[in-house]
Amino acid sequence: FFFFSSRRRHTRCREVSWARRCVQETDQRRVHGDIAMAEKLARIFGTEEDKVNCPFYYKIGACRHGDRCTRLHNKPLLSQTIIIPHMYENPPAAVAFSEGTKVPEEALKEAVRHFEDFYEEVFIEMCKYGELEEMSVCDNVGDHLMGNVYAKYYREEDAKSALTALNGRYYAGRIIHCEYSPVTDFHVARCRQYDDGTCTRGGYCNYMHLKHVSRTFKKSLFRQMYDDFPEYRRRRGQQVLIQLAPVLLTEVQQIYNSNFHCQSF
């Protein structure tokens, strides 16, 4: 009787240990599966493979389907970039030129002057709320991109200040409606074929056709910003020092340790 009882106990222990091992292996497979799924979702987020989130809204901050889009438009609660939809009204000559129509040279020059006056006025106003990193204006003629103005700040706090101050104001007789934009990299959002002069979709392209701003004109505006607000340059220099402080401290410590070992020898 003792022999069969101990044998049953041994068998029972083996079954319990086997069951525990199965549970552990199942948990490990579930964890590995969850990690793999999370990695896949992170990899495809905002791409054409993502069937839940709208890739165009994620890349360019606008979608031609609007509220009728079958995918989600995840509007950020805070961002470095704000967007003012349809703020810039393209002159008829600029619209015709973007659609491929031949336009007299004098009309094109007038359209360029019109845009530069607008760009300078808005740029100077945006600088009052913080240090601008980039400002872009869409040249598309599609309803979801026409005249959109994107202003990217170095700090999210400055973008918040600009959004709060500009919302509800009027420009050219129209009320301004600002919102945060998910766009932080304009190299991804812009149409590269348009930059090369080979885009076949014209003004109705779903990627940004950004209006050209000469390098000289843009540098003069940034120079004026730093002249009017010298604290922007000082503040960013302090932020750089704060970010580099741990690296510099580590290097100094390594040099000190190496010198200490050399002296001890």
Side-chain angles (χ1 to χ4, degrees):
F1 176 78
F2 177 76
F3 172 75
F4 287 109
S5 178
S6 62
R7 187 174 181 180
R8 281 197 297 271
R9 284 197 302 269
H10 181 66
T11 304
R12 180 60 179 168
C13 290
R14 288 174 59 186
E15 291 176 353
V16 171
S17 62
W18 178 79
R20 287 176 178 172
R21 189 161 55 249
C22 289
V23 171
Q24 291 175 355
E25 291 177 355
T26 302
D27 291 341
Q28 289 177 357
R29 284 196 297 268
R30 186 180 295 114
V31 170
H32 289 313
D34 293 343
I35 293 174
M37 179 59 69
E39 291 176 349
K40 180 182 178 182
L41 292 176
R43 177 177 55 82
I44 68 174
F45 182 79
T47 64
E48 294 295 336
E49 298 181 41
D50 191 349
K51 302 302 180 184
V52 178
N53 303 288
C54 179
F56 280 103
Y57 183 81
Y58 177 72
K59 290 179 182 177
I60 64 177
C63 174
R64 62 176 178 172
H65 300 293
D67 296 334
R68 294 176 291 120
C69 184
T70 57
R71 302 184 188 183
L72 295 178
H73 294 173
N74 293 308
K75 297 186 177 182
L77 300 177
L78 194 63
S79 175
Q80 292 176 257
T81 308
I82 63 171
I83 176 177
I84 307 177
H86 316 306
M87 185 180 187
Y88 178 65
E89 289 186 338
N90 251 334
V95 176
F97 182 76
S98 65
E99 293 178 344
T101 306
K102 290 185 177 181
V103 179
E105 185 176 354
E106 189 60 34
L108 283 179
K109 290 181 179 179
E110 181 61 32
V112 170
R113 285 194 293 268
H114 179 272
F115 170 69
E116 288 185 347
D117 291 342
F118 166 85
Y119 191 92
E120 182 178 6
E121 181 182 6
V122 176
F123 188 95
I124 293 174
E125 180 64 27
M126 293 290 186
C127 292
K128 297 178 181 178
Y129 311 106
E131 184 183 5
L132 273 177
E133 182 178 348
E134 189 172 358
M135 192 180 101
S136 302
V137 181
C138 285
D139 200 25
N140 305 64
V141 295
D143 292 337
H144 61 299
L145 288 174
M146 180 183 292
N148 289 359
V149 176
Y150 295 83
K152 181 182 177 182
Y153 289 87
Y154 278 100
R155 304 194 314 164
E156 292 179 345
E157 296 85 352
D158 297 336
K160 182 179 180 180
S161 300
L163 184 139
T164 304
L166 294 174
N167 255 332
R169 290 177 57 181
Y170 284 84
Y171 181 83
R174 294 177 294 132
I175 193 168
I176 295 176
H177 173 67
C178 296
E179 58 186 37
Y180 292 117
S181 173
V183 179
T184 55
D185 188 355
F186 289 93
H187 293 288
V188 177
R190 67 193 305 161
C191 177
R192 297 172 185 172
Q193 294 178 342
Y194 174 75
D195 295 337
D196 298 335
T198 58
C199 182
T200 58
R201 300 182 183 89
Y204 293 95
C205 180
N206 285 323
Y207 287 94
M208 289 184 188
H209 288 189
L210 299 181
K211 295 190 74 68
H212 175 70
V213 182
S214 67
R215 184 175 299 180
T216 305
F217 181 59
K218 186 177 289 188
K219 288 178 78 172
S220 66
L221 290 177
F222 275 98
R223 191 181 303 112
Q224 181 178 349
M225 177 182 71
Y226 290 121
D227 289 341
D228 294 341
F229 304 96
E231 63 272 16
Y232 293 166
R233 194 187 299 274
R234 291 196 301 268
R235 185 173 61 192
R236 191 146 59 91
Q238 292 172 357
Q239 292 176 350
V240 172
L241 287 176
I242 292 173
Q243 293 174 355
L244 291 178
V247 179
L248 295 174
L249 183 62
T250 304
E251 292 181 354
V252 169
Q253 189 173 4
Q254 290 176 353
I255 295 172
Y256 174 79
N257 292 336
S258 62
N259 291 336
F260 177 77
H261 288 302
C262 290
Q263 290 175 4
S264 64
F265 283 118

